[in-house]
């Protein structure tokens, strides 16, 4: 009976992951359009603010404001790393095709074993080998002719976002043991809404009517993504469901083709396959 229940949990986790990355692909489309008019930090602020406004009534209704203080290091790392990761992701989406930005951001799973190794957590050699295999896939994509016009700095935004997301994922796994998904997402949006204006408000401008609509769409799809992602981690461990994050690459590639007529190269798909295989092997090893 427990085996059946576990299988059901995995199925729910996979569904949540797929729907989450459909949402993130659509959010990326609106982020890219909004970036023509507004700075990335302002777009990200709208994403956090809209999520905060949406979640606040539910938090008040349920009284779910309690934070497990014994987990404060994980809470701080999850929120600060998560906010910084998202800001770098928005910068990457502005300058890179959405498919490449999403793919590189999803290499966060490859950074997890390296982070655990640095933190002196016992990490098998085959796990580290899978991580390096995944980064070989990144190299294949970056060596393609169509990527020559990409600035190294912009690629660095996406990989930096992945590194910080790995830190956030490690913390999220611990926070889920004692906090509800809604509670975790609420404080993430609250801190994002408070911290971003402190550092970036002087760069912001008043959006046009079209820009305002785009900000609402970014916030809406971003909230859906965050709720589904957090729920997925509630149903199953990160190492089991992380490979399904790469469905976002497929959806983002479709969006690139539909909205900007960018057709991914053969090198892109070969590199993507190498990365997906490496992440899947990681999931199998660590399960």
């Amino acid at each position: 009976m427990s085996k059946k229940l576990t299988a059901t949990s995995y199925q729910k986790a996979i569904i949540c992951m797929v729907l989450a990355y459909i949402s993130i692909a659509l959010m990326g489309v609106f982020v890219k359009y909004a970036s023509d008019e507004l700075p990335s930090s302002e777009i990200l602020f709208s994403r956090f603010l809209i999520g905060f406004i949406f979640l606040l009534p539910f938090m008040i209704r349920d009284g779910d404001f309690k934070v497990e203080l014994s987990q404060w290091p994980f809470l701080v790392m999850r929120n600060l790393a998560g906010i910084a990761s998202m800001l770098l992701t928005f910068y990457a989406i502005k300058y890179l095709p959405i498919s490449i930005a999403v793919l590189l951001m999803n290499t966060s799973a490859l950074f997890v074993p390296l982070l655990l190794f640095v933190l002196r957590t016992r990490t098998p050699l085959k796990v580290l080998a899978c991580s390096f295999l995944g980064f070989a896939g990144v190299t294949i994509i970056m060596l393609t002719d169509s990527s020559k016009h990409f600035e190294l700095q912009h690629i660095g935004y996406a990989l930096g976002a992945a590194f910080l997301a790995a830190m956030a994922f490690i913390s999220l796994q611990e926070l889920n043991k004692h906090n509800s998904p809604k509670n975790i997402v609420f404080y993430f949006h609250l801190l994002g809404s408070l911290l971003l204006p402190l550092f970036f408000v002087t760069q912001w401008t008043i959006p046009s009517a079209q820009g305002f609509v785009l900000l609402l769409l970014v916030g809406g799809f971003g909230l859906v993504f965050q709720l589904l992602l957090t729920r997925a981690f509630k149903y199953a461990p990160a190492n089991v469901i992380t490979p399904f994050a790469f469905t976002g690459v497929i959806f983002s590639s479709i969006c690139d083709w539909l909205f900007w007529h960018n057709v991914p190269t053969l090198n892109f798909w070969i590199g993507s396959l190498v990365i997906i295989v490496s992440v899947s092997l990681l999931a199998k090893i660590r399960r």
Side-chain angles (χ1 to χ4, degrees), residues 37-108:
E37 175 186 342
L38 301 165
S40 298
S41 57
E42 185 174 358
I43 300 170
L44 180 57
F45 170 73
S46 72
R47 180 204 185 288
F48 281 124
L49 183 62
I50 290 171
F52 170 74
I53 293 172
F54 176 85
L55 290 168
L56 184 59
F58 297 99
M59 295 294 291
I60 294 173
R61 182 195 66 186
D62 299 336
D64 190 18
F65 291 99
K66 183 180 178 182
V67 177
E68 186 63 49
L69 294 180
S70 63
Q71 289 193 305
W72 72 264
F74 296 111
L75 186 66
V76 171
M77 186 166 74
R78 185 270 181 274
N79 286 299
L80 294 184
I83 292 168
S85 173
M86 291 206 59
L87 184 58
L88 288 176
T89 298
F90 277 32
Y91 281 131
I93 290 174
K94 178 178 181 179
Y95 297 109
L96 299 173
I98 297 176
S99 54
I100 290 182
V102 170
L103 175 65
L104 295 179
M105 190 267 287
N106 283 347
T107 59
S108 56

Side-chain angles (χ1 to χ4, degrees), residues 31 48 55 57 66 111 121 151 179 206-207 210 235 239 248 287:
V31 168
F48 281 124
L55 290 168
K66 183 180 178 182
F111 282 105
T121 300
E151 295 285 344
N179 300 275
I206 299 175
Q210 178 180 339
Y235 285 131
N239 58 297
R287 184 167 177 174

Side-chain angles (χ1 to χ4, degrees), residues 270-283:
I270 293 174
S272 298
L273 180 61
V274 172
I275 293 172
I276 293 170
V277 168
S278 66
V279 173
S280 299
L281 288 173
L282 277 174

Side-chain angles (χ1 to χ4, degrees), residues 9-26 47 54-55 78 169 172 176 181-182 184-186 188-189 219-236 241 244-245 247 251:
S9 296
Y10 284 152
Q11 290 170 2
K12 290 180 179 178
I14 291 168
I15 291 171
C16 286
M17 287 292 283
V18 171
L19 292 176
Y21 279 89
I22 290 175
S23 298
I24 205 66
L26 292 173
R47 180 204 185 288
F54 176 85
L55 290 168
R78 185 270 181 274
F169 286 159
L172 185 60
N176 264 323
K182 184 169 79 275
I184 296 170
V185 173
F186 172 78
F188 184 50
H189 283 79
F221 281 104
L223 176 64
V224 170
F225 167 75
Q226 200 67 53
L227 289 170
L228 288 171
L229 182 66
T230 305
R231 179 62 64 179
F233 280 107
K234 192 75 173 179
Y235 285 131
I241 59 176
F244 294 95
T247 56
F251 301 130

Side-chain angles (χ1 to χ4, degrees), residues 199-232:
F199 295 97
F200 299 104
V201 70
T202 56
Q203 304 174 6
W204 295 354
T205 59
I206 299 175
S208 64
Q210 178 180 339
F212 182 74
V213 172
L214 289 171
L215 291 179
L216 290 176
L217 290 170
V218 168
F221 281 104
L223 176 64
V224 170
F225 167 75
Q226 200 67 53
L227 289 170
L228 288 171
L229 182 66
T230 305
R231 179 62 64 179

Side-chain angles (χ1 to χ4, degrees), residues 154-171:
H154 302 154
I155 295 171
Y157 289 154
L159 291 176
F163 176 80
L164 291 167
M167 295 177 62
F169 286 159
I170 291 172
S171 304

